[in-house]
Amino acid sequence: MTERRGRGRPREKDSDTSAAISRAALQRFAAQGFEATSLREIADDAGVDVALISYRFGGKQGLWKDIVSQAGAALREALERALGDSEATGAQKRLEHSAHAFLTYLLGRPEVPRLLLRDITIDSDRSKWLLETLSLPLHQHFIALAQAAADERDKAPAHLEFRVANFIYSAASTVARRERLGKLVSGVEDNAQFAAALEEVLVKGALMP
Amino acid sequence: MTERRGRGRPREKDSDTSAAISRAALQRFAAQGFEATSLREIADDAGVDVALISYRFGGKQGLWKDIVSQAGAALREALERALGDSEATGAQKRLEHSAHAFLTYLLGRPEVPRLLLRDITIDSDRSKWLLETLSLPLHQHFIALAQAAADERDKAPAHLEFRVANFIYSAASTVARRERLGKLVSGVEDNAQFAAALEEVLVKGALMP
DNA sequence: TCATATATTCAACAACCATTGAATATTGAT
DNA sequence: ATCAATATTCAATGGTTGTTGAATATATGA
């Protein structure tokens, strides 16, 4: 994308190089994993020298944290917006809206569920950080909502926290495996139909029994 | 484990060194991922020199394939045994038995769901191989059973293949995240209680609506 | 007891990695 | 026009990786 040839300082601080690096890094990390991705690959994708990454982000780990923070912020924002939009309605509706917002977010950024999913699987400080930054707020958000919905209907579904965790990672794994398994498994092709199936099976079936 | 000091040939072909290497490799690969694991780590765990791994398994990739093949064989065997045990009963019972056998297998080998799960997430030839060796037979097995159960009850659940895929990866991710999230999320502690919750939510709730 | 086969170790290899310090070109202010 | 800042590149670094070829010790069969 960037076509600069000579070296030196091209623009002030917030040039688009940082954004280009972030974009490339998210793609690579999501597709190959943290360890399997070299900074040189990312630098090549972004059309930039390797050293620039360490200079800007303070190293590979710093780049990782930056990306995860960004994704986490975007997700939290989407959830809060959904909550604001359905403020006056009942608890069940609010839960449904949040679930819809979550699924929409995942479908729009299919790299995120990959990160999310891979890191319940790996033992490392990096994974722990992602867990606290991304997963935990998500759990708390949905547990509260599901509890409220259950109260509203005077039902006490067994294993509520279990159901919530299951909903989150089911959604993530479904979106993640979509590209991977492809048409191999299911006939659900386009995004809208896909989201509808997810909500029917996961939200109404397993989350709100 | 092995305490040999001098070098040379200690026993005939099938000593326990190969097994020790396989064991260590499964642990490491499951805990850290393929790329993040060095052959030297595995060799140290197994009490063996690095070079021996390449000599016996033909390299890192060969070791990986060997492990996955083993896991796949064990899983298929468990499923077929469950099918044999419930031969005379109805289709619904057979589905329940298979689901139980699957969950039991996963709980008994918590490394496997980690491999399974991580590899819908990573693009590589290795992942593709695992997909075909482990996941695909699993899908086919359960799709056939779920179809039969649906026919038996004269119900046609929407998105059947979708539900099956969801069941498989939900189970895998639940077992995988159990060690990771720990008591953070749910109050379900011991294995029996855990399996019961899984079957209630996943099998009866989402797989056989 | 000797010879052969081979399981294992040792040592060295080239390739790659992330990071760092110095060099350089560009910008923005004076 | 000049100067200071700094975004970027270049070149080199030390460390780690998987693999290979040679050396060695043991077990087995004659």
Side-chain angles (χ1 to χ4, degrees), chain B residues 31-79:
Chain B
Q32 312 172 345
F34 180 84
E35 329 272 354
T37 302
S38 80
L39 290 186
R40 282 173 170 84
E41 282 177 310
I42 297 177
D44 284 355
D45 287 355
V48 142
D49 188 88
V50 206
L52 185 58
I53 301 182
S54 288
Y55 173 70
R56 288 264 201 155
F57 295 89
K60 197 179 182 183
Q61 183 124 337
L63 177 57
W64 165 267
K65 286 200 176 184
D66 199 78
I67 286 176
V68 173
S69 299
Q70 262 180 249
L75 175 54
R76 273 189 297 275
E77 196 186 327
L79 288 180

Side-chain angles (χ1 to χ4, degrees), chain A residues 174-197:
Chain A
T174 306
V175 174
R177 78 174 174 261
R178 212 159 100 85
E179 304 168 28
R180 204 82 190 84
L181 299 178
K183 306 171 183 178
L184 212 73
V185 161
S186 175
V188 187
E189 303 295 342
D190 79 308
N191 269 0
Q193 203 182 342
F194 188 73

Side-chain angles (χ1 to χ4, degrees), chain A residues 118 121-123 161 170 185, chain B residues 31 118 121-123 161 170 185:
Chain A
R118 176 160 41 228
T121 285
I122 289 195
D123 297 329
E161 299 196 356
S170 286
V185 161
Chain B
R118 177 159 40 228
T121 285
I122 289 193
D123 297 329
E161 299 196 356
S170 287
V185 161

